[in-house]
Amino acid sequence: MILRHLALNVGKSCNFVGAAAAANSSFPKCRASLLLKNQNHKTGLLVSVATRYASSTTTSTKKPEEIQALWQQADAVCFDVDCTLTTKDGLDSLATFLGKGQAVQDLTNLAMNGTMELEEALQKRLEIMAPSVQDIADWIKAHPGESRLAPGVVTLLEALRERNKEVYLISGGFRELILPVSDYLQVPRSNIYANRFIFTNSEEDTSSFYPNVKVSSFDTDEPTSRDGGKPEAIRQIRAANADKIKTVVMVGDGITDLEAIQEEGGADLFVGYGGVVVRDIIKKNADWFIMDYEELTKALP
């Protein structure tokens, strides 16, 4: 039996009734839901996203005082997660845990540097890994949220909350892997925009539902599953909070984060973060490039 549309729907208030929670209490509490959608998704042709920025020979045109003002007046600050809030890419770390690290990391770098479409890179990584529910639960137990954080993250987010600024996580990573981090940082689950796994039951052995359930794909309805998804997520945030969110800042390390400032309705300011990995295209095109979160904390009003 193939459960083509089974995914972990981990909303802000939910209880996981599947076997993962029974097997391991560290697995995010969530409820299983059937996603009635076509599992087919386009991967498209291999294209170089980086060509959008290749012709640029200058950095941001914003003046320092404008950058400072936008940061200080931000109503919402949106963070990427992998290699921005955390010191490693979650999917890469899971792949290493499963003994498939290098092959998956190579694909991650292609996507983050803009030389492979995000959808294609996601699917290829999942095909290489094919993690089971138990694999994910074991990885989460071995990598609690607080152990993954980049230096200065906790202090910065506390300072933002003290100033009544909304914090969102917009990630091309997977919600199931992110929740321990977001919960530790006290970011509401309703403020998370991330991908979701789709699980398929093994056809070879139908004697039991678990632990034969493995990741086979991802939910293509999530905006973060495709190129241009992060500015789309910001547009959704603006639409849902039109009365209180006017100025939005995006903080991230990769090409998909840079996209947030390139499209209408996206971020007003892009802060590139290089504390984990420095990508030349981000360093060149960010409005503000930092290596340490202390710089952002100190710049708050």
Side-chain angles (χ1 to χ4, degrees):
M1 177 178 65
I2 300 178
L3 304 180
R4 293 186 182 276
H5 308 298
L6 177 65
L8 294 181
N9 184 354
V10 280
K12 57 183 177 181
S13 58
C14 46
N15 292 305
F16 185 48
V17 296
N24 191 317
S25 60
S26 67
F27 197 84
K29 292 181 179 180
C30 51
R31 60 181 172 84
S33 66
L34 295 180
L35 300 180
L36 302 177
K37 62 173 63 64
N38 190 334
Q39 192 178 11
N40 294 329
H41 64 281
K42 68 178 185 68
T43 57
L45 298 175
L46 174 61
V47 296
S48 175
V49 180
T51 57
R52 302 177 198 177
Y53 313 102
S55 61
S56 174
T57 57
T58 61
T59 56
S60 170
T61 58
K62 293 185 177 69
K63 296 180 180 179
E65 55 269 27
E66 181 183 1
I67 292 171
Q68 181 83 357
L70 286 169
W71 173 244
Q72 293 189 350
Q73 70 190 31
D75 302 303
V77 181
C78 302
F79 291 90
D80 175 44
V81 177
D82 295 329
C83 298
T84 297
L85 290 183
T86 65
T87 57
K88 294 181 179 179
D89 181 282
L91 207 60
D92 287 353
S93 179
L94 176 59
T96 299
F97 188 73
L98 299 176
K100 302 176 182 179
Q102 190 59 55
V104 170
Q105 186 175 354
D106 289 345
L107 289 169
T108 299
N109 288 334
L110 288 176
M112 289 301 97
N113 290 328
T115 52
M116 178 180 284
E117 283 190 353
L118 183 60
E119 285 179 276
E120 183 178 4
L122 277 176
Q123 185 61 38
K124 286 183 178 294
R125 287 189 290 171
L126 295 180
E127 289 172 357
I128 291 171
M129 295 167 58
S132 68
V133 174
Q134 185 63 60
D135 289 335
I136 296 171
D138 290 343
W139 180 84
I140 289 173
K141 184 176 180 180
H143 299 81
E146 61 270 27
S147 72
R148 304 186 226 163
L149 297 175
V153 166
V154 173
T155 300
L156 174 59
L157 265 65
E158 287 176 347
L160 291 172
R161 280 195 295 270
E162 288 173 359
R163 291 160 176 80
N164 296 315
K165 298 181 184 295
E166 287 289 328
V167 173
Y168 289 86
L169 306 187
I170 306 179
S171 175
F174 285 85
R175 190 179 182 96
E176 294 85 349
L177 308 183
I178 289 170
L179 287 178
V181 172
S182 61
D183 288 349
Y184 182 80
L185 293 174
Q186 301 177 49
V187 176
R189 292 187 176 190
S190 57
N191 285 16
I192 301 172
Y193 290 75
N195 293 318
R196 299 176 190 264
F197 290 131
I198 288 179
F199 293 83
T200 301
N201 199 35
S202 172
E203 290 184 296
E204 287 75 25
D205 182 358
T206 59
S207 60
S208 63
F209 176 81
Y210 176 85
N212 299 312
V213 176
K214 293 188 175 184
V215 173
S216 61
S217 188
F218 58 94
D219 181 6
T220 57
D221 280 355
E222 293 294 338
T224 51
S225 70
R226 54 189 176 270
D227 293 323
K230 293 192 177 182
E232 173 59 28
I234 292 174
R235 285 191 288 269
Q236 291 181 15
I237 291 169
R238 289 186 184 277
N241 302 274
D243 58 330
K244 61 178 182 178
I245 292 181
K246 305 299 181 183
T247 303
V248 178
V249 174
M250 181 74 207
V251 182
D253 71 288
I255 194 80
T256 58
D257 306 306
L258 176 58
E259 286 181 332
I261 196 72
Q262 301 286 341
E263 295 189 17
E264 185 176 353
D268 300 290
L269 177 72
F270 172 55
V271 179
Y273 176 67
V276 175
V277 57
V278 176
R279 306 184 195 279
D280 290 341
I281 195 168
I282 302 305
K283 188 173 183 179
K284 177 181 178 181
N285 289 281
D287 295 317
W288 183 6
F289 188 80
I290 64 166
M291 296 293 294
D292 191 323
Y293 283 121
E294 185 179 7
E295 187 172 350
L296 291 182
T297 304
K298 287 183 175 180
L300 287 169

